[in-house]
Amino acid sequence: MGGWICYICSRVSGSLMMLLVVALSCNPSTAAIASPPAPHVKPSYSFGRTFLGLDKCNACIGTSICKKFFKEEIRFDTWLSSHLKLPPSYLLSYSGNYTDDAKSWRMVDITRLTSKYQHDRADKRICTSLLKTKTCSLEHALRRTQRFQKWLQAKRLTPDLVQGLSSPMLRCPSQRLLDRIVRRYAEVPDAGSIYMDHLTDRDKLRLLYTLSVNSHPILLQIFPDVEGWPFPRYLGSCGRLVVSASTRPLRDFFGAAPEVAADLALQLLAVLRSMGTNDLNYFFYFTHVDAGTFGVFSNGHLFIRDASTLGIIDKEEGSQLIDDQQEYKDIFSCLTVDCQSAFVSCNSIGEKHSLVMVCQELLPKLLKGKFLQPVQEKIDSFLQHCADGLADDQGVSGAVAKLAELLKPLRSCDSRFAYRYPDCKYSDKY
């Protein structure tokens, strides 16, 4: 009898267990407790070395910010879409987002030194002219050049090492300027000395390549915004891409309200004034300006967005190259320009040089038809006097000064101009 009871109990117990299993499998919330879900798989933003230009190093800018890309702490705007694809490689610049803590993000500009077409053309020229082949190791080819061999032996960056490079910044080089480049070169961890002992062979080739193709990232490094220079902040580079603080190009403001146009025009003139007269006694001048040369931050502050066409004359030391030395040409002279391009003599650059360019190319587009008469007529007259360039330096500067006085009362003081608000409510200085 006891055996039958045990048998019945075991059958009932088994049936209850089966019912419990069925109930658990039918109840989603209970099943979740019993069986943990599979871990969430993070989408992958895979990079191509070719897109970044890392496959070209050390014929590149540097690698200081590559980790940010690979850790997804720099993201392209296109990654906000569902496709998560890299943008087209043929573009010259991209909008992106940057973070240091994965919580707060800020806009950045991600730019190439030159167009992909120009890069490809220059790479091909290096291989065909130096090694007589269609493709090659760019680093191997450039290392064999006479110029780079001189760089390897040099303890200090001297004017003869940069002679013939196409960068406007180096057309009239002084030793003081070259020392500043080495001392503040941000792609190495232990900068600070004017001597190149802390630069490896790889670092020297990257610096030489950057100076040869486009000096924009170097200017951002040696004249940083935190010291009051009108450039966006340099954040780093990866391969052939440069990352800097984001600005909107001036062309976006050509249709702006009159008070905004007046404010930007005054800032533009102030930037040019500071470029001509500053505590370091460097005279900056433009070889070309267009609607993308200047940019505006979200707080309304105007900066130089593209420094690639900026030349520098050292008013303290002068240039240590004479004109015939500038005619020296090699492969580094021809990476982005025609080797036959003639240099502008350092002695031919006057104080009115950049003012005339801006009065011809930018200020009319910013100020045309914005104001009531007779104010608009006076503005147009001053602009024409400046743009003609017929007057001497003093005459052009005088016309620009009168234009600035005319524009000052046309500005407004409100939150759209956060870079000077609310200070402008309490001081005429702003």
Side-chain angles (χ1 to χ4, degrees):
M1 186 69 177
W4 277 102
I5 291 174
C6 290
Y7 173 75
I8 292 171
C9 289
S10 65
R11 297 284 293 185
V12 171
S13 176
S15 299
L16 290 172
M17 186 62 70
M18 288 295 292
L19 288 171
L20 180 61
V21 170
V22 172
L24 286 171
S25 63
C26 293
N27 187 332
S29 61
T30 311
I33 297 173
S35 179
H40 175 67
V41 179
K42 190 176 182 180
S44 174
Y45 309 101
S46 60
F47 272 103
R49 289 173 57 83
T50 302
F51 179 85
L52 293 172
L54 281 171
D55 60 324
K56 307 295 186 181
C57 283
N58 290 302
C60 64
I61 315 167
T63 56
S64 61
I65 210 166
C66 288
K67 285 185 179 179
K68 286 280 186 184
F69 279 105
F70 292 118
K71 291 168 66 177
E72 300 163 29
E73 293 175 349
I74 296 177
R75 299 187 175 191
F76 291 91
D77 274 359
T78 53
W79 288 1
L80 300 178
S81 69
S82 59
H83 301 295
L84 303 174
K85 293 181 179 179
L86 288 172
S89 61
Y90 58 80
L91 296 178
L92 189 59
S93 63
Y94 311 88
S95 294
N97 295 276
Y98 173 101
T99 185
D100 286 317
D101 56 14
K103 296 178 182 178
S104 57
W105 294 80
R106 51 191 164 120
M107 294 289 293
V108 293
D109 289 333
I110 304 168
T111 57
R112 300 185 184 278
L113 291 185
T114 187
S115 67
K116 186 177 185 302
Y117 170 78
Q118 286 277 24
H119 268 313
D120 291 345
R121 186 181 177 192
D123 293 346
K124 184 177 180 180
R125 183 181 293 165
I126 290 172
C127 296
T128 55
S129 64
L130 297 179
L131 298 180
K132 312 303 179 186
T133 59
K134 291 185 178 180
T135 59
C136 67
S137 164
L138 300 177
E139 179 173 357
H140 175 67
L142 294 175
R143 276 178 172 272
R144 297 175 58 180
T145 60
Q146 183 180 5
R147 186 191 294 266
F148 187 66
Q149 288 301 312
K150 287 183 178 179
W151 272 63
L152 289 178
Q153 297 167 14
K155 295 293 184 181
R156 195 174 182 182
L157 185 59
T158 50
D160 62 295
L161 296 178
V162 298
Q163 64 178 332
L165 297 185
S166 62
S167 169
M169 183 181 76
L170 299 172
R171 290 183 185 175
C172 314
S174 68
Q175 188 60 58
R176 188 168 69 112
L177 176 63
L178 298 179
D179 287 344
R180 190 177 182 87
I181 291 174
V182 174
R183 191 172 67 250
R184 297 193 166 211
Y185 182 45
E187 287 299 312
V188 293
D190 51 355
S193 170
I194 63 173
Y195 297 101
M196 296 197 290
D197 297 335
H198 62 290
L199 300 184
T200 64
D201 294 359
R202 176 193 66 187
D203 297 329
K204 288 182 177 181
L205 182 55
R206 291 177 179 180
L207 176 56
L208 174 56
Y209 179 83
T210 306
L211 290 172
S212 301
V213 176
N214 187 331
S215 58
H216 170 78
I218 302 299
L219 273 159
L220 269 56
Q221 294 169 43
I222 66 176
F223 298 108
D225 67 308
V226 293
E227 295 179 4
W229 297 97
F231 302 108
R233 180 165 302 181
Y234 178 81
L235 299 173
S237 66
C238 184
R240 288 178 169 179
L241 292 179
V242 179
V243 183
S244 60
S246 176
T247 60
R248 289 177 60 192
L250 188 62
R251 69 170 65 89
D252 291 358
F253 297 86
F254 285 164
E259 62 273 18
V260 174
D263 183 83
L264 292 176
L266 278 169
Q267 287 194 71
L268 184 51
L269 295 177
V271 165
L272 293 183
R273 187 164 56 250
S274 70
M275 294 286 92
T277 305
N278 51 73
D279 293 340
L280 293 184
N281 270 332
Y282 288 116
F283 177 75
F284 296 77
Y285 66 94
F286 285 99
T287 58
H288 170 79
V289 295
D290 57 36
T293 301
F294 295 88
V296 183
F297 283 124
S298 57
N299 65 355
H301 206 172
L302 182 139
F303 276 62
I304 296 174
R305 188 171 190 257
D306 178 5
S308 63
T309 62
L310 264 182
I312 303 177
I313 295 176
D314 190 334
K315 294 195 292 185
E316 193 171 295
E317 287 189 1
S319 172
Q320 265 114 41
L321 281 183
I322 56 177
D323 287 343
D324 61 341
Q325 286 180 296
Q326 291 180 321
E327 297 304 319
Y328 174 86
K329 299 286 177 66
D330 65 355
I331 187 64
F332 290 100
S333 310
C334 315
L335 293 182
T336 57
V337 297
D338 181 2
C339 285
Q340 304 305 315
S341 299
F343 287 119
V344 177
S345 171
C346 301
N347 298 323
S348 66
I349 307 297
E351 292 184 12
K352 69 178 184 180
H353 186 88
S354 297
L355 285 172
V356 172
M357 281 188 180
V358 167
C359 288
Q360 290 174 342
E361 302 296 333
L362 299 181
L363 289 180
K365 297 173 183 176
L366 192 61
L367 300 174
K368 184 179 180 181
K370 291 288 174 67
F371 306 97
L372 298 175
Q373 299 297 356
V375 173
Q376 184 67 56
E377 185 178 355
K378 292 180 180 179
I379 290 175
D380 294 342
S381 175
F382 288 136
L383 280 179
Q384 189 60 52
H385 184 72
C386 169
D388 286 342
L390 300 178
D392 57 14
D393 288 345
Q394 190 173 1
V396 171
S397 297
V400 168
K402 292 177 182 177
L403 175 63
E405 287 301 316
L406 196 59
L407 291 173
K408 280 181 182 178
L410 301 177
R411 299 187 299 176
S412 63
C413 179
D414 57 63
S415 58
R416 289 175 299 172
F417 311 100
Y419 78 97
R420 59 181 177 89
Y421 180 84
D423 297 332
C424 54
K425 295 175 64 175
Y426 311 110
S427 172
D428 293 337
K429 178 182 176 182
Y430 302 98

